[in-house]
Amino acid sequence: MKILLVCLGNICRSPMAEGLLRAKVMERRLSITTDSAGTGDSHLGQAPDRRGQAEMKKHGIDISDLRARLFTGKDFERFDLLLAMDSQNLRDMQRLAPSAELAKKAKLMLDWSPTDKGGDVPDPWYGGSEGFVTVYDLLDASIDTLLNELGDVR
Ligand code: 4NP
């Protein structure tokens, strides 16, 4: 199974989601491959935001290897599940979908949130490091719920 995490810049929220998912997949020994992408092109090739890297490091997860790339319509063919961090990301992704059928593979990350179901992962770009704590907590709980629901992916 292949899962893609998507936000605007691919330097704050989606690399944190990718790092968390990658760590949990390893821990659970599942056969899930992970990637992330951004709907906007202002940070292509860049490593994750330092504030996000620091928050992840507090929890023992290193995401320094990740690099921002642009989301494309082809991603609907390459991935089984495409998770948008907010509803604007979801609309921007669906506009690029090759077909209405493939567009259904895109969902909101927080559809799996125990506390903020169907909501947006707030954009932490403008603000201090506390926004990244919120992002981490929302993603940590939602990805646990998602993996529990997916079960034993081999
Ligand atoms: P992300 O955060 O979408 O979570 O990666 C942002 C990164 C950069 C910008 C906005 C959001 N920006 O405006 O450059």
Side-chain angles (χ1 to χ4, degrees), residues 100-119:
E101 197 54 35
L102 286 171
K104 291 178 192 162
K105 290 183 179 181
K107 320 254 190 213
L108 279 174
M109 177 79 258
L110 295 193
D111 282 350
W112 285 271
S113 170
T115 54
D116 295 76
K117 199 170 159 53

Side-chain angles (χ1 to χ4, degrees), residues 36-52:
S36 63
T39 57
D41 63 3
S42 21
H43 297 276
L44 302 183
Q46 291 182 17
D49 187 282
R50 286 181 183 283
R51 297 164 292 177

Side-chain angles (χ1 to χ4, degrees), residues 7-15 42-43 123-126:
C7 63
L8 173 60
N10 194 207
I11 54 165
C12 298
R13 294 164 292 175
S14 61
S42 21
H43 297 276
D123 184 346
W125 176 250
Y126 301 100

